[in-house]
Amino acid sequence: MAQAPRITKFRLEVERQNWTYEAFVRRWRKACNELAALDREPGLALLPLSRRTYWRWMNGEVTAPQQAPARVLEHLFGLPAKTLLEEQPRGTLFAALVEQRNWNYPAFAGHWERSRRELAQRDGEPRLADVRVTRRTYMHWKSGDLAGLPRPDAARILEYIFGVPVAKLMDRPSHVHHEGATAVTGAGLARAGTMSGDGNSVGMQRLAAETIDSIVRRYEARGPYELAGEALLLRRVVHTLLTTASSPDAEQLTLASKAAGLLAYMAVNAGLQELADTFCAEAESFAIGAGDTSLRMWVHGTRALNYYYMGDYRLSYEAAEAGVALAPDSPQAIRLLVNGQARALARLGDGKSAGHAVARALSLSERQAKLPVGITSCISFQPYSYARTLANAITAHLSAGDPKRVLQYADEIEDLVAGSDSQWTKALVGLDVATALLQQPRPDVERAIALGQAAVRTGGARPIESVRQRSAELLTSARRWRNEPLVGEYAEELNALQRTPPPELLSTTDA
C-alpha cells in the first residue's frame, strides 16, 4: 500500500491561499526579486522552481531544502524553511467523522442541506435554511487550519449533524492557545464578558461602541500586534450580545460588523491574508443583516486593500468597483475610488484610468457638505478626509509613473503629515516621495535614500505590511545606484528590519 503524503505546513499554507503551481511560481519569482534586491545578490532573482520540487515540498518528501531555496521560502512565508516542511497533525475530529462515514464534499454538502432545512423548521428560524458551506470551508474544517470556530449558525448545523459540540469537532492537538495574544488593556471589556441577561445589554452595547472608537483612536500609535487581543475580546462580547438577544437589532449587528472589520484590517496590516478574508466575510455578513450600506462599502474597501497587498490587483479593483456600485455618491466611495480603484489600476498599467479614479475621488470629496479634518486614522469607519485622499492619490500617481504629480500632492499635505500623530502616514508618504525622487528626469539619490531611512525608522520596529512592501520597492528602484554607500546602508538597515520576525497577531483558536 502506498504511504500517504506527509501533511506539511507548506502544503497547508499553499492550500489555504488556494494557490496552484502556476500561482505559487508567480509569488516565488516576486520573492526572489525582492530578496535579490535586499541582499544585493542578483543571482537569487534567477532561482528556478520546478514543478517536481514544488510537489516534493507539497508531499513532504523534503525536510531540508538547499540554502538558497530555503531563504526564498522564509522570505515568502515569514517562517523558517524547517518549520514549513515539518509534518503537521492530520486534522480535526470533524475530519475523522466525515472520513469514517465516507463523506466527500458533495456527500457532506447533501447532509448539510437537509440538516439546515430540518433545523430551520424545528427551531422556527428560516435564515438557517440559507446557511451554506463551500468546499474551501469544508477543507478548512478538515485540516484544522482555522481562524477560530465556525460562525454561530454554521456551528448549530454542525452540532445537529454530529451531536458533538462544535469546539470538539474543530479540536486539533497542534493548536496551542497563546494567552499573550489576548492580553486586554480595557478592564471594562473583561467585565462585560461576564455580564448576562437583557438588563445588561444596553451597557454592553455602549461599552462595545466606546471600545471600537477607542481602538480606532489608538490604532496608528499602538498597531495591530498590541490591539488585536482587545479587538478579539470585543468581538466575543458582541457575539455574546447577539446570542443572548431574542432578535438582534441593527445596532447590535453593526457592532458585530465593526468588531470583525477591525480584526480584518489588523490582519491586512500584519500580512495575514487568509485571516483578513475570513473577517471581511464576517463583517460583510453582519453589515448586510444590519442594512448598513456604508459599512458594507467599508468592508469592500478593506477587502480591496487585502488583495492589493497580495499583489492581485485585478481582484483589488473588482472589490473596490463592487463597493462603489452600492452607492456611487456615498462619501465611503471616496476611499474605494482612490485607495481601491486608482491604486490597483495604476499597478495594472492603466495610468489614465487611475488618474480618472483619483479625479472622481477628489470631485466626490468636494461635493460633501462635511468631511473629517486632518489625516483620519487608516482603520477609521469614517469617510476619508481630503488629506487622506491625497495621500492615497500620491501612491496611485507613483505607480502610474507620474513623479511630478506625486511631489505636487506631497507638498500640498506636507504640513498636515508633519503635524499628524500617524507615524505610518509619515512613513508611507515619505517612502512614496523618496521613490518619486528617483523617478525624476534628474534623480536625487541622496535625498531619496535619506527620506527612505527616515521613513523606515518612523515606521517602527514592527512595520505594517504597506511600509514593509514600499520600503522594499524603494530599494528596488535604487538598484541602479547599489554601489553607492548610502544605498548600501539603506539595504543593510532594511534587511535587518525585514528579518525581524513580528509577534504572533492572533492565536488560531481566538479568531
Side-chain angles (χ1 to χ4, degrees):
M1 181 182 295
Q3 187 176 4
R6 295 167 65 248
I7 304 298
T8 62
K9 181 71 172 174
F10 173 81
R11 184 181 193 118
L12 292 175
E13 289 292 324
V14 167
E15 290 180 346
R16 196 166 61 138
Q17 301 289 356
N18 202 25
W19 288 342
T20 60
Y21 165 71
E22 290 76 14
F24 180 73
V25 166
R26 287 195 295 273
R27 287 158 177 84
W28 173 268
R29 288 172 181 160
K30 180 181 178 184
C32 287
N33 288 330
E34 290 176 352
L35 200 57
L38 287 170
D39 292 355
R40 291 184 288 171
E41 295 182 35
L44 284 174
L46 305 175
L47 190 66
L49 178 68
S50 68
R51 190 180 295 270
R52 180 174 180 271
T53 298
Y54 167 82
W55 281 108
R56 291 189 72 205
W57 290 349
M58 287 288 282
N59 293 330
E61 297 172 16
V62 177
T63 57
Q66 295 179 352
Q67 184 180 18
R71 288 169 61 195
V72 178
L73 283 172
E74 290 172 10
H75 181 74
L76 184 57
F77 291 100
L79 292 170
K82 182 180 178 182
T83 301
L84 285 167
L85 298 177
E86 283 177 349
E87 186 168 10
Q88 303 291 301
R90 287 197 165 264
T92 59
L93 176 60
F94 170 82
L97 291 174
V98 294
E99 287 171 7
Q100 184 183 66
R101 301 176 191 197
N102 293 318
W103 288 354
N104 57 13
Y105 170 71
F108 173 74
H111 287 280
W112 178 272
E113 185 173 352
R114 182 171 61 253
S115 298
R116 72 185 185 185
R117 288 199 304 265
E118 291 174 358
L119 193 59
Q121 184 175 6
R122 188 195 75 178
D123 292 356
E125 297 182 48
R127 75 172 187 284
L128 292 173
D130 295 324
V131 179
R132 304 183 184 280
V133 60
T134 64
R135 183 185 297 272
R136 190 176 184 184
T137 298
Y138 167 82
M139 294 304 297
H140 280 318
W141 289 349
K142 284 189 69 177
S143 69
D145 195 19
L146 306 168
L149 296 177
R151 297 174 196 169
D153 286 345
R156 289 174 60 189
I157 297 169
L158 282 168
E159 291 175 352
Y160 180 79
I161 294 172
F162 295 103
V164 176
V166 73
K168 287 191 176 182
L169 284 172
M170 298 300 141
D171 187 50
R172 178 178 164 193
S174 66
H175 281 179
V176 179
H177 181 75
H178 298 280
E179 293 296 338
T182 56
V184 180
T185 58
L189 260 186
R191 289 195 301 273
T194 66
M195 295 178 180
S196 61
D198 294 338
N200 288 316
S201 63
V202 174
M204 289 175 70
Q205 284 181 217
R206 184 172 60 250
L207 181 60
E210 291 171 355
T211 301
I212 289 169
D213 291 341
S214 174
I215 289 174
V216 169
R217 285 196 307 271
R218 291 178 287 139
Y219 185 66
E220 293 206 24
R222 303 286 293 279
Y225 302 108
E226 288 191 33
L227 294 176
E230 189 171 346
L232 280 166
L233 187 52
L234 165 69
R235 177 173 173 261
R236 291 197 196 104
V237 168
V238 175
H239 282 203
T240 299
L241 273 173
L242 297 180
T243 55
T244 56
S246 55
S247 179
D249 59 28
E251 182 181 354
Q252 292 168 339
L253 292 169
T254 296
L255 290 172
S257 179
K258 287 185 175 181
L262 290 174
L263 287 163
Y265 201 96
M266 290 179 185
V268 172
N269 281 165
L272 300 174
Q273 298 153 357
E274 180 72 18
L275 196 59
D277 188 52
T278 297
F279 282 126
C280 276
E282 180 178 313
E284 183 177 26
S285 175
F286 284 127
I288 291 171
D292 192 329
T293 301
S294 176
L295 196 48
R296 287 178 64 190
M297 295 174 75
W298 185 92
V299 175
H300 276 285
T302 302
R303 183 177 286 123
L305 187 67
N306 191 36
Y307 288 136
Y308 181 87
Y309 285 114
M310 288 170 62
D312 197 328
Y313 305 119
R314 176 57 57 187
L315 279 180
S316 179
Y317 172 79
E318 290 172 357
E321 185 178 41
V324 171
L326 292 173
D329 294 324
S330 165
Q332 280 290 343
I334 299 168
R335 176 188 181 218
L336 289 158
L337 287 166
V338 72
N339 181 272
Q341 290 190 6
R343 300 199 316 165
L345 286 166
R347 290 283 186 164
L348 289 167
D350 191 350
K352 184 176 180 180
S353 295
H356 288 325
V358 169
R360 287 175 63 196
L362 293 174
S363 174
L364 185 55
S365 295
E366 291 169 359
R367 297 202 304 272
Q368 302 305 312
K370 186 178 181 180
L371 285 174
V373 296
I375 297 181
T376 44
S377 170
C378 60
I379 203 172
S380 173
F381 295 101
Q382 290 183 296
Y384 265 13
S385 66
Y386 188 73
R388 174 66 70 184
T389 300
L390 285 185
N392 280 267
I394 286 171
T395 305
H397 284 302
L398 180 68
S399 298
D402 188 354
K404 183 177 179 180
R405 190 66 63 87
V406 170
L407 298 175
Q408 174 191 330
Y409 283 161
D411 185 61
E412 190 171 339
I413 62 172
E414 181 179 7
D415 290 342
L416 282 172
V417 172
S420 170
D421 292 332
S422 172
Q423 299 303 310
W424 298 336
T425 298
K426 290 178 183 177
L428 291 169
V429 172
L431 288 165
D432 283 346
V433 169
T435 304
L437 290 171
L438 297 179
Q439 290 183 355
Q440 295 180 116
R442 297 178 63 182
D444 188 342
V445 180
E446 184 175 349
R447 185 179 169 213
I449 296 304
L451 279 173
Q453 288 176 319
V456 166
R457 293 162 189 165
T458 299
R462 300 182 304 205
I464 56 173
E465 184 68 10
S466 50
V467 173
R468 189 192 69 79
Q469 287 195 18
R470 270 187 251 177
S471 58
E473 288 168 0
L474 172 61
L475 183 60
T476 301
S477 298
R479 62 183 176 273
R480 286 168 49 194
W481 301 278
R482 58 182 174 273
N483 293 326
E484 294 286 336
L486 272 175
V487 176
E489 290 171 13
Y490 176 69
E492 290 176 7
E493 188 171 346
L494 185 59
N495 189 36
L497 187 65
Q498 301 278 21
R499 289 186 183 279
T500 302
E504 184 173 332
L505 178 71
L506 305 172
S507 165
T508 53
T509 56
D510 287 331

